[in-house]
Amino acid sequence: MRVLPASIIMLGRFSGNATTDLRNNSISEWHDWYLLQYKDQSSQEDAIEAVLAELLLDIRKNPLSCDCHAHNLIKRVQQSPFSRWAKSEYLGITCYDPPNLRDQRAFYDVALTELNCNIMDNCPTGCLCQDRPEEGILNVDCQWLNLTSMPDTLPRSPYNKIELQLGNNEITKFSNVSYLKYVTNMSMPDNSLTTLPDFVIDEIASKENAFIDFRNNALTVVPS
């Protein structure tokens, strides 16, 4: 069993403060809809806490991934004064994946910035694409790959914000790719760019808190 069956969670809905013991299974993924499907969606944040208060869900001793899917739940608990210091045994959930977080307590030891997901779909070959919910950004790292051109496509950012790192490649031309409108942080030092088209400034530098890095290229002029 890799996900929570709805029939088991329904116990908490009808029994009132029921205890649902799911320890020692193979549940590896957490999704907020496990809880939110039973509450009014007008306030998602309040709904999560309300269901947690009603349903004593014990999912300890499962190979849980502490990733972007678990971010919202872990953040809500970590930032709740009551939950954070309640020391309830139900909060003794430990991470199994990723390996660098293995055996760490999800609600006490893990930094929210570590709760990320590696995205495979449409991620360029050799690149690392990460959904980083705490930063509200999709980070794409394509450094040191001997690229001669910019990637044609990137994964869709759930936040409509992309941080793109293309440093230390051999890119000679800046392409007007479709994902450029979502890029808020562009890092391309140590390439072979000779010119920067005006659309680079129009699409990236005009955004609030935008950052662009074109150090150590072969530029001779600045876009008008």
Side-chain angles (χ1 to χ4, degrees), residues 19-20 56-60 87-93 107:
T19 299
T20 306
L56 298 178
L57 181 64
D58 192 350
I59 55 174
R60 291 172 295 167
K87 302 298 182 183
S88 168
E89 62 181 4
Y90 295 102
L91 298 181
I93 299 169
F107 296 122

Side-chain angles (χ1 to χ4, degrees), residues 137 160-162 181-186 201-212:
I137 202 164
N160 290 330
K161 292 183 179 180
I162 297 175
K181 60 185 176 182
Y182 302 115
V183 175
T184 58
N185 186 319
M186 169 68 76
I201 305 300
D202 294 338
E203 291 284 6
I204 303 177
S206 60
K207 296 184 179 74
E208 183 178 0
N209 298 321
F211 175 81
I212 52 177

Side-chain angles (χ1 to χ4, degrees), residues 134-181:
E134 184 61 19
E135 301 173 49
I137 202 164
L138 174 73
N139 179 272
V140 180
D141 187 347
C142 297
Q143 301 180 92
W144 298 97
L145 295 178
N146 295 318
L147 299 178
T148 57
S149 62
M150 295 174 60
D152 292 328
T153 60
L154 294 180
R156 179 66 186 271
S157 169
Y159 321 99
N160 290 330
K161 292 183 179 180
I162 297 175
E163 182 179 80
L164 180 57
Q165 302 175 50
L166 292 170
N168 295 281
N169 283 294
E170 299 174 10
I171 300 173
T172 59
K173 180 181 178 181
F174 199 104
S175 304
N176 192 8
V177 287
S178 59
Y179 56 78
L180 198 60
K181 60 185 176 182

